[in-house]
Amino acid sequence: MTAISRALQRRTLKWLEKRIPASQRFALDLKSVFIFPSVFGWGFIVVCGSLFILGTNYQNNLMLLLCYFLLSLMLITLFVSYQNFARLHVRALPITPVYAGHHASLTLQCQQPGKPQMPDGLFTVSWWQQDDGITSELAEHNGHLTLPYFTSTRGVYPLPRVTLSNEYPLGLFRCWTHLDFNQTLVVYPAPIPCKVVFLEEGHDEGSNTTEQAGHDDFFALRSYIPGEPVHRVAWKHVAKGGDWVSKEFSQQQAKMGYLSLTGSDDLETALGKLAFQIITLSEQRVSFGLKLGRQTIEPDSGDNHKHRCLTALARYAPVGAIA
C-alpha cells in the first residue's frame, strides 16, 4: 500500500467516525446508508444515453419512449433498493475469544422492526476494504450473518469496520454501509502440551499433590443423599440390611499455587505452555494463581478465572517491549 493510499484511508476512516460513530447496534438511515449505481447500473445508463442520442438524431419516438421507460424503471429501482436496505436494525453479538491459529466469527443480527419478513435479496458482509466476504439471504439464516476473522498471533485486536451491502432488486444500484461495532477480539496463545509446574511461595518449583473428592480410589462411606447417582450406592451394605450409604472416592490433585514463566524457552513458546497448564488445571477444577511480570492473579478456579488468566497471556508484553 502506497503512502497516498494510506493517507486516503486514514482520512476516510476519520470521516466515517464522524458520520457513523461506533456503536453496539445501528438503525440504518440516510446518514449511514450509501447508494450508487453498480457496474451493471452504469452500463444501463450508457444504454439509455445511446437510445436517447439515436432517438433524437433519427427522430424516432418509439426509441425515445423506450429510453424514458428504462430511465423511469431505474428511478423506481433506486427508491425500492434504498427502502429495502434502509431502516434495517443491525447489532453484533459478542465475539468469542479464540486461540492463535484459529478463526473467530462475528455474527450480525439483522431485522426490520414491525415487519415479520426479512429484507429481500442477497446481502454481502465483509471486513473494511476486503474484497472477499460472505453472501447470503437473511431469510435463510433467520436474519443472521456470520463473518470469519482469521488470526495467527496472540493479542487483543480491535475489529475493523464491517461493510454490509445489497443490490436488490435488479442489481442496478448498490446500497452499502460501513459499521463499527466497537468490539475487540482476544486471541489466546496456542496451547503447547507440557507438564504442569507450580511455583509456590517458599517452595522450590515442583508439582505437589493432595487428596480431593474424585473418582480414582475408594476413600470412605457416607450417608446417602437423595438425588445422588445410584451407581455410587454401596449395594452390598444395603443388601445386608444396613442404611443406604454412598461410596466416596478420592483422586490426586495439585496443591493450590501459582503458575509463572519458567525455563529457557522463547516467550511465545513459554506462553503457549502456560496456556496449556491453565486449560488443564481448569478442566481438573484445581485452584491456581498466575504471576506474569508485574501482574498477579490470585488463586481461583472456574471458567471466568481461566479466561482471565488466558487474557493476561494474550495481553502480556515484556517490560521494555513495544506493545
Side-chain angles (χ1 to χ4, degrees):
M1 183 181 293
T2 63
I4 297 177
S5 299
R6 288 194 294 268
L8 182 61
Q9 181 177 343
R10 285 194 297 269
R11 281 181 171 272
T12 304
L13 286 174
K14 287 183 179 179
W15 178 76
L16 284 173
E17 288 174 3
K18 295 180 180 179
R19 187 176 180 90
I20 314 177
S23 177
Q24 294 297 323
R25 62 174 65 229
F26 292 89
L28 303 185
D29 53 19
L30 281 172
K31 189 176 181 181
S32 56
V33 174
F34 309 97
I35 185 168
F36 207 68
S38 62
V39 175
F40 176 61
W42 281 113
F44 194 87
I45 293 174
V46 171
V47 171
C48 291
S50 302
L51 289 174
F52 180 78
I53 294 174
L54 290 173
T56 53
N57 285 344
Y58 292 98
Q59 298 182 355
N60 190 323
N61 291 331
L62 288 177
M63 194 170 291
L64 288 174
L65 180 62
L66 177 60
C67 173
Y68 297 148
F69 172 76
L70 293 178
L71 286 176
S72 301
L73 179 64
M74 190 168 189
L75 290 176
I76 293 174
T77 303
L78 172 65
F79 176 77
V80 173
S81 181
Y82 172 79
Q83 285 292 103
N84 184 68
F85 191 79
R87 299 189 181 92
L88 188 70
H89 287 208
V90 185
R91 74 182 185 95
L93 302 182
I95 190 167
T96 304
V98 295
Y99 296 97
H102 294 74
H103 72 271
S105 296
L106 177 67
T107 301
L108 303 183
Q109 188 179 57
C110 308
Q111 58 183 3
Q112 282 186 320
K115 294 184 179 181
Q117 73 278 8
M118 293 295 170
D120 297 313
L122 293 174
F123 281 78
T124 301
V125 58
S126 62
W127 296 110
W128 162 258
Q129 289 194 337
Q130 288 189 5
D131 296 331
D132 55 331
I134 304 298
T135 301
S136 66
E137 291 189 18
L138 292 178
E140 293 182 354
H141 300 86
N142 197 25
H144 289 76
L145 294 171
T146 301
L147 183 62
Y149 187 89
F150 297 95
T151 65
S152 58
T153 56
R154 68 176 178 91
V156 179
Y157 302 96
L159 294 180
R161 285 182 176 267
V162 174
T163 300
L164 183 65
S165 62
N166 176 259
E167 294 185 359
Y168 178 84
L170 300 179
L172 296 176
F173 290 93
R174 178 175 180 262
C175 290
W176 76 94
T177 185
H178 303 295
L179 306 177
D180 183 2
F181 293 100
N182 195 27
Q183 288 203 29
T184 56
L185 172 63
V186 180
V187 182
Y188 303 144
I192 299 177
C194 65
K195 180 182 178 181
V196 176
V197 178
F198 271 155
L199 178 61
E200 298 191 38
E201 295 291 340
H203 293 77
D204 295 330
E205 297 177 10
S207 180
N208 300 319
T209 61
T210 186
E211 297 290 331
Q212 74 155 14
H215 55 269
D216 291 341
D217 301 310
F218 175 76
F219 180 65
L221 293 175
R222 59 173 175 79
S223 298
Y224 174 76
I225 301 175
E228 283 188 314
V230 293
H231 67 268
R232 285 184 175 269
V233 176
W235 293 110
K236 291 183 179 180
H237 187 275
V238 175
K240 294 178 181 179
D243 297 331
W244 278 45
V245 292
S246 295
K247 293 179 288 186
E248 199 172 50
F249 296 86
S250 65
Q251 68 179 9
Q252 298 293 320
Q253 179 197 17
K255 283 185 178 179
M256 184 176 66
Y258 288 88
L259 298 175
S260 180
L261 288 173
T262 57
S264 58
D265 297 319
D266 61 89
L267 177 61
E268 297 305 320
T269 301
L271 290 175
K273 291 182 177 181
L274 266 183
F276 178 82
Q277 296 178 63
I278 291 172
I279 296 170
T280 301
L281 294 176
S282 298
E283 290 176 349
Q284 296 175 355
R285 298 182 181 180
V286 176
S287 294
F288 65 93
L290 178 66
K291 291 187 176 182
L292 198 62
R294 298 177 180 177
Q295 182 180 8
T296 299
I297 299 177
E298 296 301 322
D300 201 349
S301 61
D303 288 339
N304 291 335
H305 181 64
K306 178 182 74 171
H307 293 308
R308 185 183 176 192
C309 293
L310 290 175
T311 301
L313 299 186
R315 295 178 180 273
Y316 178 70
V319 178
I322 300 176

